[in-house]
Amino acid sequence: MSIHKEVKKIKKVTTHQLQAMKDRKEKIAMLTAYDFSMTKILDAAGIDILLVGDSASNVMAGHETTLPITLDQMIYHASSVVRAVDRALVVVDLPFGSYQGNSLKALNSAIRIMKESGAHSVKLEGGKEVSDSIERILKAGVPVMGHLGLTPQSIYKFGTYTVRAKEEAEAARLKDDAKLLEDLGCFALVLEKIPAKLAKEVAESVRIPVIGIGAGPDVDGQVLVVHDMLGITYEFKPRFLRQYLNLYEEIKGAVSQYITDVKEQDFPNEKEQY
Ligand code: KIV
């Protein structure tokens, strides 16, 4: 039986099954999701993890960064995703301002997400500087996924979206942070846009699954923003992205045809009326 069929046999993906996948050297497939209808398709295809990413701020709301999205908006997206899911594990991003610098606020934000959306876990960006928040959330029994490397909520600190941890000092900090997140009890970790060699080292040095985006092949799984891999986002083609469809062009073509059909009174025809 192929690995794909084996993985699809799982009825509901849990954090324990993700750990078992890493232990068995099965790669983990993760995508973002923000709404009910798309989630139905992704879940039926057998995706392992669905991330209700704060990238919703970009691809759903049209903001330039992930900073403006609110906790209420994340809960709205997460509830829509949870209603559609049968199999995948749902992870929800804690948005900017909902967990930094105040672990009680972080706990309350995570509890709101879990209670009001029915999601299975939360993700937050950062290492040592947010360890109090991570610890407090974990103590309440909420599974936490970490996120290191390029952390888009800190874009104004970084100044650009280029590859992180190319320098020795930043790479060493990232490795320490990865170990810390594992020791705190995070169930998995996202590494975004870092050198493939460093990502491999991290994935080999921690027991928990490491999911990469722009972090090369030698990690335990991959994540992409669904709008990017389906080619809905226009002209966003970073090197790490594999675009599986060009839905921007496909949808534009279909809508142009519909407009023509309406204007030329081809639609609706006799069979398309009562
Ligand atoms: O918000 C998001 O989509 C993410 C992924 C890029 C990992 O955090």
Side-chain angles (χ1 to χ4, degrees):
M1 188 180 288
S2 74
I3 281 178
H4 188 56
K5 280 199 182 131
E6 185 69 41
V7 167
K8 279 187 86 170
K9 262 183 14 191
I10 296 172
K11 282 214 174 72
K12 278 202 187 293
V13 179
T14 63
T15 57
H16 299 276
Q17 275 157 355
L18 295 172
Q19 184 62 58
M21 282 183 207
K22 168 156 182 161
D23 298 342
R24 287 197 300 267
K25 297 194 186 336
E26 282 181 23
K27 298 286 183 185
I28 297 164
M30 167 165 157
L31 282 172
T32 63
Y34 317 101
D35 72 288
F36 180 86
S37 303
M38 179 73 84
T39 299
K40 277 271 172 215
I41 303 171
L42 306 179
D43 195 52
I47 199 77
D48 297 312
I49 308 177
L50 285 171
L51 169 66
V52 184
D54 58 359
S55 49
S57 180
N58 310 112
V59 298
M60 300 302 287
H63 294 296
E64 213 171 288
T65 72
T66 57
L67 276 66
I69 199 158
T70 66
L71 186 58
D72 284 338
Q73 288 165 340
M74 289 303 296
I75 290 170
Y76 167 78
H77 287 296
S79 315
S80 309
V81 167
V82 168
R83 279 194 289 274
V85 154
D86 284 324
R87 179 184 176 279
L89 182 94
V90 179
V91 185
V92 182
D93 264 336
L94 282 168
F96 178 65
S98 72
Y99 63 94
Q100 295 96 336
N102 182 338
S103 64
L104 181 58
K105 188 171 182 190
L107 175 63
N108 288 333
S109 303
I111 287 177
R112 276 202 63 201
I113 287 177
M114 301 297 283
K115 256 189 184 311
E116 295 177 37
S117 76
H120 312 130
S121 57
V122 298
K123 171 165 89 57
L124 53 84
E125 296 181 4
K128 194 162 174 268
E129 70 282 11
V130 289
S131 60
D132 287 353
S133 295
I134 294 176
E135 234 177 332
R136 203 153 183 175
I137 296 169
L138 283 166
K139 270 197 196 135
V142 176
V144 176
M145 177 182 269
H147 184 156
L148 300 172
L150 176 65
T151 47
Q153 291 179 13
S154 305
I155 184 57
Y156 292 116
K157 184 176 89 180
F158 297 145
T160 77
Y161 286 102
T162 54
V163 180
R164 303 301 315 170
K166 276 162 71 178
E167 309 301 330
E168 195 47 52
E170 195 181 339
R173 258 199 317 277
L174 187 143
K175 284 192 246 179
D176 289 347
D177 276 340
K179 187 81 196 82
L180 174 68
L181 293 183
E182 170 172 52
D183 291 346
L184 288 174
C186 288
F187 73 91
L189 171 61
V190 166
L191 292 180
E192 180 164 354
K193 244 181 158 182
I194 62 166
K197 188 165 160 282
L198 174 61
K200 179 175 193 284
E201 262 179 65
V202 173
E204 285 172 356
S205 69
V206 295
R207 220 192 126 236
I208 56 174
V210 173
I211 315 290
I213 172 163
D218 297 316
V219 285
D220 308 304
Q222 299 291 329
V223 57
L224 287 175
V225 170
V226 71
H227 286 59
D228 299 338
M229 62 85 77
L230 294 179
I232 298 172
T233 38
Y234 186 56
E235 285 180 343
F236 180 67
K237 294 187 183 7
R239 176 165 161 180
F240 67 77
L241 174 65
R242 184 174 294 179
Q243 196 183 301
Y244 287 81
L245 284 174
N246 188 345
L247 277 189
Y248 179 91
E249 288 303 335
E250 297 249 345
I251 294 172
K252 196 165 131 228
V255 172
S256 301
Q257 186 60 54
Y258 169 72
I259 294 167
T260 305
D261 292 351
V262 170
K263 304 253 178 222
E264 293 180 356
Q265 298 182 40
D266 176 76
F267 176 78
N269 64 23
E270 270 174 23
K271 287 190 197 146
E272 292 162 333
Q273 58 183 277
Y274 299 100

